[in-house]
Amino acid sequence: MTPSTLEALPTTLDYAALSREELAQRIERRKRELNAVILGHNYQRVEIQEVSDYLGDSLGLSQEAAATDADVIVFCGVHFMAETAKVLSPRKRVLMPDLRAGCPMADFVTGEALQKLKDRHPDAAVVAYVNSTAEVKALSDVCCTSSNAVRVVESIPADRPIIFVPDRNLADYVAEKTGRTNIIAWDGYCYVHDDLVLDELDRMKTQHPSARVVVHPEARRELLDRADFVTSTAGMVDLADEHDELIIGTERGLVDRLKKRYPLKTLVPLSGAAICGNMKMNTLAKLAWCLDHEQHEVTLDESVRAGAERSLRRMLELSGGWRPPTEEEAALEDAGVRPRGCGCA
């Protein structure tokens, strides 16, 4: 690389004209200069995953970053995830390659709308799925992940109503598992998982009759009822380690990673169209631009940050807290497959 190529370029289009190797070199150099750590969510593009320091799910990644001595966190995911990183690392700068990378499910509920529902049900406890904004978390009593949602709900007295935001499908799954009839579910959903349908499952079962079916709990009840396993993305990685044939009902970015890790196994997506366009908005060019220009920074009002942290800490207390990976998990992480952390989303 010539010295001129190391100068900050004006736009992401200028970076897009560089080779993949040049972009990776720029990212590594600038990361060292800023003492930055790069977080890559499970559903990111492969080229983003390859330059990430940590791969995994949203809350686990934020916990990993908080435990480092990095001054800057670059979150390659969607906006609520970068907010969570800021919640847990208030003294670190948090950057995103593209501020437009949002989560439609998180956007289903706003703080103002949640407050109105709370006013109508003053005795209800509010459980917020981690796939929610910091503002919503701050107005909630406790957060949950897809892995611990049942445990969190079971910790609340059975006679106390629960407002569950923002995912109606996860709320329905929790209600079925706990037998609770007093869950008030927000009418939000993840379009990637909600769009998975039985016709697609039937086609895949016809093509792979001996394959077991694993589906994320953000999917609809009729699909969960047909699954052999219902679990988070971290749970799906465990299952891929244990089984030779799986039909996997989640965003296909995770499936692509697993197929790379286990090339001799039959690991197929339930739907080839299960792609989160918001996650894919982050590119290597945008990441390089982000580091060179130290943009886009995510900030939070301290009252919102502290309130969201309170709800997250309550969840961690209920679920036994976060633990470091075992040696086996660390080995899989080094191979670029095993997501660290809590197994959310």
Side-chain angles (χ1 to χ4, degrees):
M1 293 173 63
T2 63
S4 62
T5 62
L6 296 177
E7 298 172 359
L9 305 176
T11 71
T12 55
L13 290 176
D14 296 305
Y15 285 85
L18 301 178
S19 70
R20 189 163 170 172
E21 180 183 4
E22 286 178 307
L23 289 170
Q25 290 176 354
R26 276 179 169 270
I27 289 166
E28 182 61 30
R29 173 190 60 82
R30 188 60 172 151
K31 184 178 70 173
R32 291 195 303 268
E33 291 176 354
L34 295 176
N35 187 28
V37 62
I38 299 173
L39 309 180
H41 188 268
N42 284 331
Y43 299 158
Q44 288 297 292
R45 300 168 184 266
V46 172
E47 58 265 30
I48 291 286
Q49 296 173 11
E50 289 175 347
V51 299
S52 296
D53 296 295
Y54 298 100
L55 299 172
D57 293 314
S58 57
L59 182 56
L61 287 172
S62 294
Q63 290 171 312
E64 290 279 8
T68 71
D69 61 359
D71 297 312
V72 177
I73 298 170
V74 183
F75 210 124
C76 297
V78 293
H79 196 268
F80 82 80
M81 298 178 182
E83 285 188 334
T84 301
K86 186 65 177 178
V87 167
L88 298 184
S89 299
R91 294 179 179 83
K92 301 180 191 292
R93 297 179 63 207
V94 178
L95 306 178
M96 284 186 68
D98 193 329
L99 280 178
R100 298 172 302 168
C103 174
M105 178 166 66
D107 292 341
F108 267 105
V109 57
T110 64
E112 180 181 5
L114 176 57
Q115 185 59 58
K116 289 180 179 178
L117 187 59
K118 289 179 63 175
D119 292 342
R120 288 168 50 193
H121 302 276
D123 296 329
V126 180
V127 176
Y129 188 24
V130 291
N131 294 29
S132 57
T133 66
E135 181 184 31
V136 167
K137 290 182 177 75
L139 288 170
S140 302
D141 294 285
V142 62
C143 291
C144 74
T145 70
S146 57
S147 293
N148 64 27
V150 171
R151 189 184 314 172
V152 168
V153 167
E154 286 178 338
S155 74
I156 298 169
D159 60 349
R160 187 178 184 189
I162 293 175
I163 296 172
F164 194 103
V165 297
D167 185 11
R168 68 189 182 197
N169 290 329
L170 183 58
D172 182 58
Y173 172 75
V174 170
E176 190 269 333
K177 289 297 181 183
T178 62
R180 302 277 294 237
T181 59
N182 56 353
I183 294 179
I184 304 163
W186 197 270
D187 194 22
Y189 55 90
C190 167
Y191 72 89
V192 174
H193 292 100
D194 195 67
D195 283 351
L196 298 173
V197 295
L198 291 175
D199 287 349
E200 292 174 312
L201 176 58
D202 289 338
R203 284 195 295 271
M204 296 309 296
K205 284 292 290 182
T206 298
Q207 295 175 30
H208 306 280
S210 60
R212 308 294 292 277
V213 179
V214 54
V215 179
H216 196 282
E218 289 178 14
R220 300 184 189 186
R221 170 78 71 88
E222 56 263 31
L223 204 63
L224 302 185
D225 288 343
R226 292 276 303 278
D228 297 296
F229 309 101
V230 177
T231 188
S232 65
T233 53
M236 291 177 180
V237 175
D238 290 336
L239 290 169
D241 186 46
E242 299 167 5
H243 296 270
D244 292 331
E245 291 186 75
L246 286 177
I247 296 169
I248 303 174
T250 192
E251 211 270 357
R252 68 163 299 151
L254 179 66
V255 184
D256 293 338
R257 287 180 59 197
L258 291 174
K259 288 168 66 176
K260 185 176 180 180
R261 176 67 177 86
Y262 302 106
L264 300 182
K265 293 189 176 188
T266 301
L267 305 172
V268 295
L270 191 154
S271 171
I275 297 173
C276 179
N278 300 73
M279 284 285 189
K280 301 301 191 282
M281 291 181 73
N282 296 306
T283 65
L284 212 57
K286 291 177 182 177
L287 175 55
W289 180 93
C290 164
L291 284 162
D292 276 352
H293 292 268
E294 300 182 51
Q295 293 290 338
H296 302 279
E297 184 168 3
V298 174
T299 60
L300 291 172
D301 180 271
E302 177 55 23
S303 63
V304 170
R305 190 208 66 79
E309 182 179 24
R310 181 197 67 244
S311 295
L312 285 168
R313 297 295 181 193
R314 286 177 179 170
M315 175 194 72
L316 293 173
E317 291 170 3
L318 289 169
S319 59
W322 176 76
R323 60 169 178 79
T326 64
E327 290 185 9
E328 181 182 3
E329 290 169 343
L332 287 170
E333 169 69 15
D334 290 340
V337 176
R338 177 61 182 257
R340 295 184 176 186
C342 63
C344 53

